[in-house]
């Protein structure tokens, strides 16, 4: 249940605490005080927001009766926070940042908000299907069906847009390109080494002359150093040995370089570089691009081979998928029809309690297989005891639709917390009393929060809250018995109206001889 909502700042509500209890919580107030602002705040934690202010932040204390291991939340009391900055909403749980979807997934299983004019959804066929699938628990079957349907559409697309001969031709062309590149064994490292070798090879003659001259000079230096041994004392031999060894090592390295240069084949390097140049020109412009295209074409080859395989067995695959889809669609449809029968009984019972005698049913029409199955469903009804049923969009008034939606919601109430935003619009008299009884009955199993203008509902409240506004400041007050009596009198129309009702009742009693 929701224990507390703290509004730090929202429109003219600043630093406001709203404490809720179990049972029926009623929020009332003068027209124009903005009672629905409180529902905006609750809605901001769910997947439909109607934030009317650039700056906004609020906290909601919830007592959870289950664990949510995916984000490390255990049952018990937790603080959910929301803040709007730079036109974006940020969420926290117990001071820890949590993703929007995670918060909404948790709270949508706990809280349901029924907004004003939600009865218009009764005219939406997608909404009707969603209701039936929820009651029928069709979601697992629907996931399987939708996956098959995507595969089925893919096969149809291939059949419609692909030709085996053209696919084979495309495959042959790609394989030629791939074979040409793969047989070249390209690598960016080798290309760089070849270019360096080529630069050296272009200066081959100069290098040969230089290294030959160096080698000759080193030989002369070494001979000269060796002659010095006979001219100096033994104590200087160590220095001379070092000099001779250095010259000998340098001479050895120069000899190796000469061997490499002599072994270098300029024509071979040019031919290999030409392979790179040719492939860059055809599939480049760089070697990196050529290698990237190779990987892309290898993937394309896999897809084309898959397409050809499907085309070879296209009709068989289409029929197989169609058969499986049809079987699943029929299962889903039958479960929807069973759910519809159960809902109709419950709706009609609630409608009768709400002072509305009506026959209601779900009209099923079979359509071509679509992503949501084979059912085209519409809610039909009649306020007459006999005769045909007609689509609600053609016969129901706003007040009747409102009561129908309420009956549906009462039939489907499933989450722990149910929030209603002036669902009593267009309802009065005896029906208002019946509605109050219904909400009171519902609050025995759920926490119910209602924004209302009906005193009949306020009279049933376990907790009565009043939203009051003075200038640019709004407050939410929990009413004691005396204040509650005054508020309910105001809702009935004030003292004068109540006196008129008393006079009317007195006259009626006299007329009836009581």
């Amino acid at each position: 249940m929701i224990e507390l909502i703290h509004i730090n700042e929202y429109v003219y509500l600043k630093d406001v605490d709203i404490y809720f209890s179990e049972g029926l919580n009623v929020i009332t107030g003068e027209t124009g005080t903005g009672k629905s602002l409180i529902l905006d705040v609750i809605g901001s934690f769910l997947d439909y927001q109607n934030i009317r202010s650039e700056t906004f932040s609020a906290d909601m204390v919830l007592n959870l009766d289950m664990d949510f291991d995916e984000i490390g939340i255990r049952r018990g009391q937790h603080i959910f926070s929301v803040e709007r900055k730079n036109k974006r909403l940020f969420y926290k749980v117990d001071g820890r940042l949590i993703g929007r979807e995670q918060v909404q997934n948790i709270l949508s299983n706990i809280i349901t908000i029924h907004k004003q004019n939600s009865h218009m959804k009764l005219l939406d066929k997608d909404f009707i299907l969603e209701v039936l699938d929820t009651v029928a628990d069709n979601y697992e079957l629907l996931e399987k069906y939708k996956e098959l349907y995507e595969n089925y559409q893919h096969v149809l697309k291939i059949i419609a847009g692909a030709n085996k001969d053209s696919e084979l031709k495309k495959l042959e062309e790609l394989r030629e390109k791939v074979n040409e590149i793969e047989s070249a064994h390209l690598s960016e490292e080798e290309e760089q080494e070849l270019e360096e070798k080529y630069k050296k090879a272009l200066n081959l003659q100069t290098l040969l002359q230089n290294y030959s001259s160096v080698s000759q000079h080193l030989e002369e230096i070494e001979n000269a150093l060796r002659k010095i041994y006979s001219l100096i004392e033994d104590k200087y031999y160590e220095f001379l040995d070092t000099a001779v060894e250095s010259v000998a090592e340098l001479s050895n390295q120069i000899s190796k370089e000469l061997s490499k240069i002599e072994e270098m084949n300029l024509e071979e390097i040019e031919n290999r570089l030409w392979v790179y140049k040719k492939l860059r020109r055809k599939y480049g412009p760089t070697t990196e691009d050529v290698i990237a295209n190779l990987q892309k074409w290898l993937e394309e080859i896999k897809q084309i081979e898959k397409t050809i395989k499907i085309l070879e067995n296209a009709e068989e695959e289409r029929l197989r998928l169609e058969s499986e889809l049809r079987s699943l669609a029929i299962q889903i449809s039958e479960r929807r029809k069973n759910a519809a029968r159960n809902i109709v009984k419950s709706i009609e019972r609630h409608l009768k309690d709400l002072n509305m005698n009506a026959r209601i049913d779900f009209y099923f029409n079979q359509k071509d297989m679509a992503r949501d199955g084979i059912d085209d469903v519409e809610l039909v009804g009649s306020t007459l005891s006999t005769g045909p049923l007609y689509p609600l969009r053609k016969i129901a008034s706003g007040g009747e639709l409102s009561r129908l939606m309420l009956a549906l919601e009462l039939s489907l109430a499933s989450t722990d917390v149910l929030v209603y935003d002036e669902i009593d619009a267009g309802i009065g008299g005896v029906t208002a009393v019946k509605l109050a009884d219904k909400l009171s009955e519902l609050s025995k199993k759920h926490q119910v929060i209602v924004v209302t203008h009906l005193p009949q509902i306020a009279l049933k409240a376990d907790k009565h809250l009043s939203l009051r506004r003075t200038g640019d400041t709004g407050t939410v007050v929990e009413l004691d018995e005396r204040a509650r009596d005054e508020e309910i009198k105001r809702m009935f129309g004030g003292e004068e109206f109540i006196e008129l009702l008393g006079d009317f009742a007195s006259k009626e009693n006299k007329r009836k001889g009581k």
Side-chain angles (χ1 to χ4, degrees):
M1 61 174 278
I2 300 173
E3 295 183 341
L4 164 68
I5 289 178
H6 176 77
I7 303 172
N8 299 302
E9 181 181 7
Y10 183 44
V11 191
Y12 50 79
L13 296 174
K14 294 183 172 78
D15 197 24
V16 172
D17 287 319
I18 309 168
Y19 291 89
F20 295 100
S21 69
E22 295 179 349
L24 180 58
N25 297 262
V26 170
I27 302 168
T28 63
E30 291 279 4
T31 301
T33 53
K35 297 181 289 297
S36 294
L37 292 177
I38 297 170
L39 274 71
D40 291 349
V41 173
I42 298 174
S44 69
F45 289 92
L46 300 171
D47 60 353
Y48 41 91
Q49 286 97 22
N50 184 34
I51 305 302
R52 313 176 205 186
S53 175
E54 289 299 316
T55 56
F56 163 68
S57 65
D59 305 303
M60 183 163 63
V61 179
L62 273 158
N63 201 317
L64 306 178
D65 64 356
M66 62 184 295
D67 299 334
F68 293 91
D69 294 329
E70 65 272 19
I71 58 173
I73 292 179
R74 300 294 178 191
R75 66 182 64 201
Q77 192 182 78
H78 294 276
I79 301 172
F80 288 74
S81 304
V82 61
E83 183 175 12
R84 185 178 190 179
K85 279 188 176 180
N86 302 322
K87 298 183 180 180
R88 294 178 63 196
L89 289 173
F90 299 90
Y91 295 88
K92 292 180 182 178
V93 178
D94 299 329
R96 179 166 53 101
L97 276 171
I98 298 290
R100 173 178 171 175
E101 284 189 7
Q102 289 175 308
V103 169
Q104 291 174 352
N105 286 340
I106 290 173
L107 297 189
S108 62
N109 290 313
I110 298 168
I111 303 168
T112 303
I113 297 183
H114 303 279
K115 307 285 282 182
Q116 286 188 50
N117 299 320
S118 61
H119 59 270
M120 298 307 295
K121 292 191 291 186
L122 289 173
L123 309 181
D124 183 348
K125 293 181 179 181
D126 290 335
F127 171 72
I128 298 298
L129 274 184
E130 188 180 336
V131 167
L132 294 175
D133 286 327
T134 299
V135 176
D137 194 19
N138 267 344
Y139 291 112
E140 193 173 324
L141 273 177
L142 276 169
E143 283 301 313
K144 186 177 179 182
Y145 174 86
K146 286 173 184 176
E147 186 178 345
L148 268 177
Y149 185 77
E150 293 299 324
N151 291 338
Y152 178 65
Q153 291 299 310
H154 179 63
V155 169
L156 291 181
K157 187 177 178 181
I158 287 174
I159 291 172
N163 175 278
K164 186 179 176 182
D165 291 338
S166 65
E167 291 297 312
L168 285 169
K169 184 179 179 182
K170 195 190 300 181
L171 182 63
E172 185 181 352
E173 290 171 355
L174 280 176
R175 279 177 173 166
E176 283 180 8
K177 293 178 181 178
V178 165
N179 289 336
E180 184 179 8
I181 296 170
E182 284 185 332
S183 63
H185 303 292
L186 305 181
S187 83
E188 293 178 79
E189 293 78 10
E190 185 201 28
E191 185 180 25
Q192 188 175 347
E193 287 175 8
L194 286 169
E195 286 173 350
E196 289 174 1
K197 284 182 180 179
Y198 187 68
K199 287 176 184 176
K200 285 185 179 180
L202 290 176
N203 300 315
L204 187 64
Q205 193 60 40
T206 304
L207 283 170
L208 276 171
Q209 289 174 355
N210 289 343
Y211 281 143
S212 296
S213 177
V214 169
S215 182
Q216 184 179 347
H217 286 313
L218 286 172
E219 186 178 348
E220 291 171 357
I221 291 169
E222 185 178 356
N223 290 334
L225 286 170
R226 293 187 182 281
K227 289 179 182 178
I228 295 174
Y229 278 99
S230 60
L231 303 175
I232 59 175
E233 298 175 20
D234 292 353
K235 62 182 180 180
Y236 297 114
Y237 283 3
E238 183 180 347
F239 299 104
L240 193 57
D241 288 344
T242 300
V244 170
E245 286 175 8
S246 296
V247 169
E249 179 60 29
L250 180 57
S251 180
N252 184 44
Q253 292 296 326
I254 292 297
S255 296
K256 287 180 179 178
E257 286 297 320
L258 277 169
S259 297
K260 286 182 182 178
I261 291 170
E262 288 168 354
E263 290 172 3
M264 198 174 289
N265 187 328
L266 184 60
E267 185 179 357
E268 186 180 296
I269 295 170
E270 284 178 336
N271 289 339
R272 183 60 179 160
L273 282 173
W274 172 251
V275 171
Y276 277 91
K277 185 177 181 181
K278 180 181 70 173
L279 293 176
R280 283 202 314 270
R281 189 175 63 248
K282 290 175 74 174
Y283 311 121
T286 67
T287 299
E288 184 182 4
D289 293 324
V290 176
I291 294 170
N293 282 330
L294 171 64
Q295 296 306 314
K296 183 182 77 172
W297 291 332
L298 285 169
E299 285 301 315
E300 284 183 22
I301 285 172
K302 287 181 184 177
Q303 290 303 316
I304 293 171
E305 287 174 341
K306 185 179 177 181
T307 299
I308 290 170
K309 189 174 181 181
I310 291 173
L311 285 170
E312 287 173 347
N313 305 282
E315 192 58 26
E316 182 182 338
E317 181 69 2
R318 182 187 68 80
L319 291 172
R320 182 188 71 80
L321 287 171
E322 206 169 88
S323 174
E324 286 187 36
L325 276 172
R326 180 69 58 185
S327 175
L328 272 176
I330 290 170
Q331 285 183 59
I332 292 167
S333 181
E334 286 304 314
R335 291 170 69 128
R336 284 171 176 167
K337 288 171 183 174
N338 287 333
R341 284 188 284 271
N342 293 330
I343 295 173
V344 164
K345 292 176 185 176
S346 182
I347 288 175
E348 288 184 342
R349 185 176 73 252
H350 285 300
L351 283 176
K352 190 173 181 181
D353 292 341
L354 291 169
N355 206 33
M356 181 178 173
N357 291 314
R359 291 180 296 131
I360 298 296
D361 205 353
F362 292 87
Y363 174 70
F364 281 77
N365 184 40
Q366 187 168 316
K367 64 181 181 182
D368 291 336
M369 276 192 295
R371 200 169 186 275
D372 56 6
I374 56 173
D375 296 316
D376 183 17
V377 187
E378 190 166 19
L379 202 53
V380 295
S382 173
T383 55
L384 301 174
S385 58
T386 59
L389 301 178
Y390 298 97
L392 293 185
R393 57 190 164 81
K394 292 184 177 180
I395 62 165
S397 66
E400 287 171 333
L401 281 174
S402 184
R403 274 182 280 178
L404 273 169
M405 189 66 187
L406 179 57
L408 178 61
E409 289 169 342
L410 291 169
S411 301
L412 300 176
S414 56
T415 57
D416 294 330
V417 182
L418 302 171
V419 183
Y420 295 97
D421 182 13
E422 296 195 15
I423 54 160
D424 47 28
I427 291 174
V430 176
T431 305
V433 175
K434 300 278 188 181
L435 172 58
D437 289 337
K438 277 287 169 189
L439 291 172
S440 181
E441 177 189 333
L442 196 60
S443 69
K444 291 174 183 176
K445 294 183 179 179
H446 306 265
Q447 183 188 37
V448 180
I449 299 170
V450 182
V451 170
T452 184
H453 67 279
L454 288 180
Q456 293 92 332
I457 293 175
L459 281 165
K460 295 283 186 178
D462 295 301
K463 175 168 281 196
H464 191 157
L465 302 161
S466 177
L467 180 60
R468 298 173 180 177
R469 180 179 178 184
T470 305
D472 292 334
T473 304
T475 57
V476 177
V477 180
E478 182 179 337
L479 303 182
D480 58 21
E481 285 302 317
R482 182 181 172 189
R484 188 176 178 213
D485 288 344
E486 290 299 318
E487 176 69 0
I488 289 172
K489 284 178 185 177
R490 180 197 66 77
M491 295 172 74
F492 270 118
E495 291 282 0
E496 291 180 4
F497 183 73
I498 291 171
E499 287 175 9
L500 285 172
L501 285 177
D503 292 343
F504 176 77
S506 178
K507 289 176 182 177
E508 281 294 296
N509 287 334
K510 284 179 182 179
R511 188 177 64 81
K512 294 176 181 178
K514 291 184 179 179

